[in-house]
Amino acid sequence: MPELPEVETLCRQLAPQVRGQNIEKIHVYEPRLRFPLASNFGSFLEDQTIFSVKRKGKYILFHLQSGRIWLVHLGMSGRLLWTGLNPKYFTHVSWSAKLQNGKEFMYCDPRRFGFSLLFEPNEAYLTDLGIEPLSKEFHRGYLHNKIRNRTRDIKNILMDQKIIAGIGNIYANEILFQANVHPLTPGRVLQIEHCEKIVLATKKILRQAIAFQGTSISDFLDTNGKQGRFQKRFAVYARNGKTCPICDCTIQKDSHSQRSFFYCPECQKITVPQNPKKKRNANEKSK
DNA sequence: CCTATGACCTGAACGC
DNA sequence: TGCGTTCAGGTCATAG
């Protein structure tokens, strides 16, 4: 479910309700997440006051007044929901947090790829996380430096959280369409002007997606159980067989390193020619 | 250091 | 109706 725009949506909804609130009660229902919940999960958080809620990449960070940090990652299928909604949403509940104002939110995660980590004041955390794509740090020179010697394909690079934090499969596809770059283009063939297009496309797509409260394909719901709407704006993602919004070609779907990718063969021609070192196959397609 | 691959989970959609 | 297969928004550990 969650890439940067979805996590940002959740943070914006949570912040006004939880800021300054004391955590009255934590319930743990299912500790078996990507990393098992710490045995002191409840006692670490109970009676702490939430100072702020921030997003970093795809992480939600609750900064506590004590200086402790509570980090939440939603994996593929994690949801944060206010209690009181239709009970059908509350399957696979992992934990809940009740605040002094009576509000309570629950973490539900069927696939259990998400996790929650706790940090003491001054303890290092997220040390390997890359820069924020919506920050000024993310500019064409930064991207060009990161990719200039890489053979990895650009879509994979965009999804590398150590380089840029927050982009996943949906937005990588949409960004590369917007930038007219084929998803499998090796990083090292992209010039500074391509990097410029990719950076601009990244900021544009992510901002739009945030404005639409993220994307709901099947799993994502906001804290009130409502879907995002950016899926209505998809140019390529999950649109294979449909018409490109720009050129009337048919959107293609393919797969690479166990991830689907989607592209327009006409609009996304920036790619690498066949590697000259590679031996050519003796047989062309017959006939 | 870099790159590619499998593993971790459940549920939904699809084909037979 | 049921059973098997494939796929899904992410990340990490491992091997070369």
Side-chain angles (χ1 to χ4, degrees):
Chain A
M1 158 193 62
E3 301 180 39
L4 184 151
E6 291 75 40
V7 179
E8 180 69 23
T9 298
L10 296 177
C11 284
R12 290 184 183 187
Q13 293 185 331
L14 286 168
Q17 305 287 348
V18 308
R19 199 183 295 131
Q21 290 294 314
N22 196 256
I23 301 169
E24 272 189 0
K25 185 66 190 171
I26 298 281
H27 282 289
V28 172
Y29 302 93
E30 175 55 272
R32 296 176 304 163
L33 297 177
R34 175 68 201 267
F35 308 113
L37 281 186
S39 53
N40 65 339
F41 185 72
S43 62
F44 185 98
L45 294 173
E46 282 173 2
D47 228 21
Q48 296 278 311
T49 298
I50 298 173
F51 176 72
S52 66
V53 188
K54 305 232 157 135
R55 179 193 58 72
K56 246 181 190 277
K58 302 175 189 174
Y59 292 86
I60 298 169
L61 290 141
F62 294 92
H63 293 267
L64 308 176
Q65 237 154 43
S66 60
R68 286 178 170 179
I69 291 170
W70 172 20
L71 176 156
V72 176
H73 192 291
L74 299 102
M76 289 280 262
S77 57
R79 289 173 175 168
L80 281 174
L81 296 164
W82 295 116
T83 54
L85 302 171
N86 189 321
K88 72 180 179 186
Y89 295 134
F90 298 102
T91 59
H92 303 277
V93 178
S94 172
W95 50 259
S96 66
K98 181 160 191 174
L99 307 173
Q100 86 192 93
N101 62 4
K103 289 269 186 180
E104 185 178 31
F105 55 97
M106 289 195 144
Y107 180 69
C108 307
D109 190 353
R111 295 177 73 179
R112 309 204 313 269
F113 285 170
F115 53 94
S116 258
L117 300 176
L118 307 170
F119 297 95
E120 294 290 354
N122 303 320
E123 203 178 341
Y125 66 98
L126 300 183
T127 48
D128 288 338
L129 202 59
I131 63 169
E132 284 293 321
L134 291 176
S135 73
K136 286 186 180 167
E137 289 176 273
F138 184 51
H139 53 68
R140 61 184 187 176
Y142 175 87
L143 184 61
H144 194 235
N145 271 334
K146 290 291 183 190
I147 72 178
R148 54 193 309 160
N149 297 319
R150 302 298 201 89
T151 59
R152 269 170 103 192
D153 57 280
I154 183 62
K155 177 170 151 309
N156 240 296
I157 293 172
L158 287 180
M159 292 168 62
D160 185 336
Q161 304 300 300
K162 292 180 177 168
I163 299 175
I164 313 150
I167 299 171
N169 204 30
I170 290 180
Y171 297 111
N173 277 287
E174 293 297 316
I175 288 164
L176 291 171
F177 171 79
Q178 180 87 32
N180 304 117
V181 174
H182 191 286
L184 297 190
T185 312
R188 65 179 176 195
V189 314
L190 290 166
Q191 303 301 305
I192 192 78
E193 57 269 24
H194 302 133
C195 293
E196 167 97 0
K197 286 191 81 170
I198 292 169
V199 167
L200 291 176
T202 299
K203 294 176 191 279
K204 180 173 173 183
I205 294 284
L206 293 179
R207 287 201 181 106
Q208 273 185 18
I210 291 169
F212 279 76
Q213 280 88 34
T215 294
S216 296
I217 297 292
S218 59
D219 283 327
F220 174 65
L221 298 176
D222 69 15
T223 59
N224 300 307
K226 298 183 83 169
Q227 296 195 324
R229 301 183 319 282
F230 189 72
Q231 64 279 12
K232 298 175 182 172
R233 290 298 174 104
F234 283 171
V236 289
Y237 189 86
R239 293 196 69 251
N240 47 107
K242 300 194 171 155
T243 304
C244 169
I246 302 296
C247 79
D248 296 348
C249 270
T250 303
I251 300 301
Q252 304 295 308
K253 174 180 182 176
D254 212 326
S255 141
H256 181 65
S257 41
Q258 298 160 189
R259 248 37 224 279
S260 300
F261 65 95
F262 304 85
Y263 66 103
C264 168
E266 185 63 31
C267 294
Q268 292 169 268
K269 284 189 163 167
I270 299 171
T271 186
V272 80
Q274 286 303 306
N275 184 342
K277 285 186 204 161
K278 201 178 189 175
K279 272 189 192 166
R280 183 174 291 178
N281 278 343
N283 301 320
E284 298 277 305
K285 271 188 195 128
S286 50
K287 314 285 151 58

